[in-house]
Amino acid sequence: MATIIAERDTAKTDGTDSPEAVVVRFAGDSGDGMQLTGGQFTLSTALAGNDLATFPDFPAEIRAPQGTLFGVSAFQINFGSSEITTAGDAPDVLVAMNPAALKTNVQALKPGGLVIADTGEFTKRNLDKAKYETSPIDDGSLAKWDVLAFDISALTLESVKEFGLGNKEALRCKNMWTLGLALWMFDRDRAPLIDWLRTKFAKNPVLADANIAALNAGHAYGETAEISGPLRKLHVDPVAAEAGVYRTITGAEAVSLGLVAGAQLAGLPMFFGGYPITPASAILHHLVKMKEFGVTTFQAEDEIAAICAAIGASYAGSLGVTSSSGPGIALKGEAMGLAVMTELPLVIVNSQRGGPSTGLPTKTEQSDLYQAVYGRNGDASLPVVAARSPSDAFECAIEACRIATQFMTPVMLLTDGYIANAAEPWKVPDPANYAPFPVEFLEEANGPDGKPLPYKRDENGVRPWIKPGTAGLMHRIGGIEKGIDTGNIDYAPDVHQTQTDARKDKVDRVAKAVPAQEVSLGDETGKLAVVGWGSTYGPINQAVRRARRKGMAVSHIHVRHVWPLPANLGELLTGFDKVLVPEMNTGQFKTVLRDQFLVDAVPLNKTSGQPFAIAELEHAIGTFFDGIPGHDEGEVPVNDTQLPSPEA
């Protein structure tokens, strides 16, 4: 997604018809440019000073048959004049570019919400593809919503007629016409998008002018059509915010910037080895543009080559980084064990998706926690950090680099498809606020008789980092068990016991070097603690906020360092009568908490490829206060209206 840098105004305006928040969903065929439309609407929303959260949702197929139910692509944005932490439970407005987009999305729309539909696409052929026997625009099936249906296709063709484009090429401007209407409807400035179009099509001015004409025509339609009823201009006030430079940022962008910042704070060049996989590929795409910051990128022939190259870079004195999603992380497993055994710093980014196997490549899930914490042969413990939002991924990437370099260990950073693809405003931080953690390489022999001891540990159990080629410090490391201090191959039982314990103890010490766990919202004691990790932060926080307004003694605890767990977390949990753990998996973090602290953590699971809705969590919290025994655990049922859910 494209991003811009914008100044954020702290003042609020007094709009006469100004809702606090609005949820809009753009939906159409994969070739209709819905992700582009949503992305540019997001940028205009950021410039308007609103807080926002987005959720792009697209099919796994590279190009599904046009007009079919399983080829629908959607982009949802929640924006408002107060804090926004999720992409919204249900849209207020649905823009449907064809019958399939309407059918797979309309049930998500709030009662009384607005449907904007392109009647030019509601042909008999397209209705058949969407499995409509009659047109829903005419048969009364949309009665519980406001419907604004007109021929966007014809209006687009008319607006670009002067540019001499072919019919197919002209219709590609339809998303800009629709965006123009949306900009008018929500009182957005067109100028930045016009500048963006001129830049995007700088080599083809005709296409630039045609798209600008379509954008202006859609905007003018809203101004001049004099449509009574549902179509009206709304103004959403800016959110009160600290002055500063803001930009929209996706999770993939934030991870990339955070990795670069972490390498700079460590004083190291960075090497990134990756292999394309959804949704992790975007990290490679962003890092390849950052060569001026000492970043070397390498697209390997496979996942194993990618991580092994990164380990080699760490051995040579760079910060090695690799990235993938669950299936690729599985392939990297043996090499992760090598990084554990050699005790080299390495950052492994796992952008989780639905699984197992190929699973749900474009859907979100949190089902790789066991893989991150336990999923290697042998006792190969490594720290795991989890980002809670797109902007938080920046901080977590820096934290992963810090732990990796200061403890000479591989570290896994967990995001997911929701975080990687979604966007939110981000106040660009002042680099001066980050404390450097410069690496010190061993320059002189640390053993008797002037010999180097590559596995001699300091008070934190950390071995020295020796650059190969340093005079007088020739040494040996590798994947076979090493002698204590020396690095010589040693299979002795007591040596393996000692080294295994030392590697585990080193990772355990990370718990004392990370901040104490705090309560995200609420009190440090009460009847219920809702404990989350990763991208469940937004819906949990909002649900707990609503429950507390009703007088419920509930708090929200969100864990960033999921392994090892913060040293005070166990004591914190004992202050609550019950612990509820919502996860987009079958209860993995619940099991970790039970194992580590012997708490009776109650699972709330969702594995439908969809993020939690606030209402789902609010209902689950309520069951702990309704007095009904055994009513307070289980699985969230699949919600077919939450995201596009094509009929089989």
Side-chain angles (χ1 to χ4, degrees):
M1 182 186 298
T3 61
I4 57 175
I5 297 178
E7 291 289 343
R8 197 71 165 278
D9 190 354
T10 59
K12 290 186 69 176
T13 60
D14 294 322
T16 55
D17 189 6
S18 181
E20 184 175 344
V22 179
V23 180
V24 178
R25 184 181 295 180
F26 299 93
D29 194 74
S30 292
D32 286 337
M34 292 297 94
Q35 303 305 321
L36 182 66
T37 302
Q40 293 307 308
F41 186 78
T42 297
L43 298 184
S44 70
T45 299
L47 280 172
N50 300 131
D51 199 7
L52 62 94
T54 71
F55 186 50
D57 186 76
F58 37 88
E61 292 81 6
I62 293 174
R63 187 65 179 90
Q66 189 171 4
T68 57
L69 292 168
F70 52 87
V72 172
S73 177
F75 186 102
Q76 183 162 307
I77 176 171
N78 182 13
F79 59 97
S81 57
S82 58
E83 183 183 14
I84 301 293
T85 59
T86 77
D89 282 11
D92 300 286
V93 179
L94 170 64
V95 179
M97 303 301 286
N98 63 11
L102 179 67
K103 187 160 195 176
T104 57
N105 288 276
V106 72
Q107 294 302 323
L109 194 64
K110 293 177 181 176
L114 173 62
V115 176
I116 299 176
D118 178 13
T119 58
E121 292 293 323
F122 279 68
T123 62
K124 178 68 167 59
R125 177 183 173 85
N126 284 344
L127 289 168
D128 289 343
K129 288 182 180 179
K131 305 189 186 308
Y132 277 123
E133 294 183 3
T134 60
S135 173
I137 295 174
D138 303 322
D139 64 9
S141 60
L142 304 179
K144 66 178 179 179
W145 300 288
D146 288 329
V147 179
L148 182 61
F150 50 93
D151 197 338
I152 296 175
S153 298
L155 291 167
T156 301
L157 291 174
E158 180 64 27
S159 70
V160 302
K161 183 169 59 176
E162 65 181 282
F163 300 101
L165 303 177
N167 192 70
K168 184 176 181 180
E169 201 165 31
L171 284 175
R172 286 177 178 166
C173 300
K174 189 166 60 171
N175 63 333
M176 287 297 109
W177 194 101
T178 306
L179 180 58
L181 179 63
L183 295 180
W184 172 84
M185 188 174 180
F186 295 104
D187 196 19
R188 300 280 183 258
D189 185 8
R190 283 168 288 161
L193 300 184
I194 291 173
D195 292 341
W196 174 79
L197 284 168
R198 294 203 185 281
T199 301
K200 179 177 176 62
F201 295 109
K203 296 181 180 179
N204 195 333
V206 173
L207 279 182
D209 291 341
N211 277 280
I212 292 168
L215 181 79
N216 290 333
H219 193 276
Y221 185 88
E223 286 184 325
T224 62
E226 298 182 359
I227 299 173
S228 61
L231 187 66
R232 63 187 187 279
K233 180 179 282 192
L234 297 174
H235 176 82
V236 180
D237 289 341
V239 65
E242 298 177 1
V245 179
Y246 284 76
R247 59 169 290 179
T248 58
I249 195 165
T250 66
E253 290 172 316
V255 167
S256 304
L257 291 170
L259 291 170
V260 173
Q264 295 281 311
L265 291 168
L268 296 172
M270 190 182 98
F271 176 92
F272 179 90
Y275 181 76
I277 185 171
T278 302
S281 300
I283 296 173
L284 172 60
H285 300 163
H286 293 303
L287 287 175
V288 77
K289 305 171 187 175
M290 299 184 187
K291 295 178 181 178
E292 67 269 30
F293 299 110
V295 178
T296 300
T297 53
F298 169 55
Q299 181 174 316
E301 64 269 30
D302 56 44
E303 298 283 7
I304 300 171
I307 187 172
C308 288
I311 292 171
S314 289
Y315 174 63
S318 294
L319 177 58
V321 181
T322 190
S323 170
S324 192
S325 298
I329 296 296
L331 292 170
K332 296 178 190 287
E334 182 182 359
M336 279 189 268
L338 175 62
V340 169
M341 199 71 162
T342 56
E343 300 187 52
L344 285 167
L346 177 71
V347 177
I348 306 138
V349 184
N350 182 355
S351 301
Q352 300 168 95
R353 66 189 204 183
S357 186
T358 309
L360 308 173
T362 61
K363 308 301 180 184
T364 194
E365 209 164 272
Q366 293 180 295
S367 52
D368 293 351
L369 184 67
Y370 283 163
Q371 183 186 45
V373 175
Y374 307 120
R376 289 159 297 282
N377 65 293
D379 282 304
S381 182
L382 56 80
V384 181
V385 179
R388 73 184 193 186
S389 69
S391 61
D392 186 55
F394 176 81
E395 305 290 339
C396 290
I398 293 176
E399 178 71 344
C401 294
R402 183 185 71 84
I403 295 172
T405 53
Q406 295 202 331
F407 285 86
M408 291 293 286
T409 178
V411 178
M412 188 174 292
L413 170 58
L414 293 176
T415 69
D416 59 40
Y418 190 5
I419 291 175
N421 296 323
E424 65 180 359
W426 178 53
K427 183 181 178 183
V428 179
D430 183 351
N433 293 335
Y434 292 87
F437 40 88
V439 166
E440 293 185 7
F441 293 96
L442 188 67
E443 301 289 346
E444 297 179 355
N446 59 344
D449 303 323
K451 294 182 179 179
L453 297 175
Y455 283 89
K456 183 178 181 180
R457 304 179 185 278
D458 65 13
E459 65 278 4
N460 290 317
V462 179
R463 80 168 187 88
W465 195 355
I466 309 173
K467 280 188 180 181
T470 303
L473 298 185
M474 184 180 294
H475 64 288
R476 176 191 294 171
I477 64 173
I480 299 177
E481 188 61 278
K482 295 294 177 282
I484 299 167
D485 293 347
T486 67
N488 297 330
I489 295 173
D490 196 332
Y491 295 151
D494 60 332
V495 169
H496 181 53
Q497 181 74 58
T498 299
Q499 294 289 59
T500 299
D501 291 343
R503 289 187 289 265
K504 179 182 182 300
D505 179 67
K506 181 180 70 171
V507 172
D508 289 345
R509 287 174 184 267
V510 173
K512 300 176 182 178
V514 302
Q517 181 64 50
E518 297 181 349
V519 175
S520 301
L521 178 64
D523 304 316
E524 293 190 356
T525 59
K527 182 173 181 178
L528 176 66
V530 184
V531 181
W533 66 278
S535 64
T536 56
Y537 175 85
I540 292 176
N541 198 263
Q542 289 299 315
V544 169
R545 193 178 303 276
R546 293 179 185 180
R548 289 182 61 81
R549 287 175 187 160
K550 297 175 183 177
M552 299 178 189
V554 57
S555 298
H556 175 199
I557 298 172
H558 215 76
V559 181
R560 170 182 284 180
H561 296 90
V562 298
W563 192 267
L565 293 163
N568 70 318
L569 179 59
E571 182 179 356
L572 186 61
L573 295 179
T574 61
F576 296 90
D577 298 338
K578 291 281 188 177
V579 175
L580 176 67
V581 186
E583 300 180 79
M584 292 185 291
N585 58 44
T586 56
Q588 297 181 19
F589 195 51
K590 169 267 301 178
T591 303
V592 173
L593 292 177
R594 286 180 175 179
D595 169 57
Q596 293 297 298
F597 304 124
L598 301 180
V599 296
D600 185 18
V602 175
L604 182 69
N605 306 324
K606 185 170 186 176
T607 55
S608 58
Q610 308 162 329
F612 278 104
I614 299 170
E616 292 168 342
L617 293 169
E618 191 177 7
H619 170 75
I621 291 169
T623 63
F624 286 83
F625 297 88
D626 61 11
I628 302 174
H631 192 210
D632 51 6
E633 64 179 288
E635 184 172 278
V636 173
V638 173
N639 180 357
D640 284 334
T641 69
Q642 186 179 2
L643 291 173
S645 179
E647 297 176 6

